[in-house]
Amino acid sequence: DAGVIQSPRHEVTEMGQEVTLRCKPISGHDYLFWYRQTMMRGLELLIYFNNNVPIDDSGMPEDRFSAKMPNASFSTLKIQPSEPRDSAVYFCASSLTADYEQYFGPGTRLTVT
Amino acid sequence: GESVGLHLPTLSVQEGDNSIINCAYSNSASDYFIWYKQESGKGPQFIIDIRSNMDKRQGQRVTVLLNKTVKHLSLQIAATQPGDSAVYFCASTDSWGKLQFGAGTQVVVTP
């Protein structure tokens, strides 16, 4: 397996634009997690899915953020409209169960100017 | 005002020495613990894990120790190498079984 795949690896956009981050989890993993990492706040869990269903989105900062998982092999995290304070590295991770090893993707470095 | 980032604790280790990285957790009901290594520009990478029914587990050059009495977790790296320079995160399960990550420790290996 190629591991967790994220795209794009880097994204630079202007304030107010819509940003869509993509993730392909490891095949067979039932759990998918979206994290945000910044120098200010470290690694934060935004939302996670079990069998394509959102289970806990309490970490999503505000309504500008939304995440979907239309099928077992694809998930998106969307920010609309984007703001400079959204600049961070966004990681997707997948695992067999919630309390098991999570495999992280390489991350998407987002810069909002 | 001036923004302040996370000030990660830093462990400076001489190449060849053993490293010990410590982590405290708060939830006495946590039953799964894991250590990750994150190199610059990469995602966190699994190192080793341990369940609460154990107090020690060994891997290749790494050992994790769990002390449930004082809610303390440690990672020992034997014969530290330059490639071990990274940020190390511990994580433990919360009351709902989700992993909660610590702030991390920066390990710097000096020649």
Side-chain angles (χ1 to χ4, degrees), chain A residues 37 39-40 48 56 101-102, chain B residues 4 6 36 38 46 98:
Chain A
Q37 188 175 42
M39 287 297 294
M40 290 285 289
Y48 78 96
D56 183 354
E101 176 190 348
Q102 293 180 21
Chain B
V4 178
L6 278 178
Y36 282 92
Q38 186 176 22
F46 170 83
K98 296 199 317 290

Side-chain angles (χ1 to χ4, degrees), chain A:
Chain A
D1 200 314
V4 176
I5 299 172
Q6 290 186 249
S7 66
R9 293 295 311 277
H10 302 273
E11 176 80 33
V12 181
T13 190
E14 291 184 348
M15 177 177 173
Q17 296 297 307
E18 177 180 295
V19 175
T20 300
L21 311 181
R22 297 172 176 80
C23 175
K24 179 178 175 4
I26 292 173
S27 177
H29 282 190
D30 291 335
Y31 285 80
L32 183 141
F33 305 81
W34 281 102
Y35 290 89
R36 178 172 68 175
Q37 188 175 42
T38 62
M39 287 297 294
M40 290 285 289
R41 301 171 70 91
L43 194 62
E44 302 173 275
L45 175 65
L46 300 177
I47 185 172
Y48 78 96
F49 295 82
N50 178 25
N51 291 324
N52 314 337
V53 177
I55 302 300
D56 183 354
D57 65 354
S58 59
M60 296 285 261
E62 48 198 273
D63 292 345
R64 296 185 298 107
F65 285 68
S66 62
K68 294 182 180 179
M69 193 164 185
N71 57 62
S73 60
F74 184 65
S75 177
T76 60
L77 178 67
K78 186 176 293 187
I79 308 172
Q80 165 63 20
S82 58
E83 297 182 3
R85 60 192 168 123
D86 302 330
S87 297
V89 181
Y90 290 82
F91 289 104
C92 176
S94 70
S95 68
L96 289 170
T97 67
D99 62 343
Y100 200 70
E101 176 190 348
Q102 293 180 21
Y103 294 80
F104 282 77
T108 295
R109 180 173 293 277
L110 173 65
T111 303
V112 184
T113 60

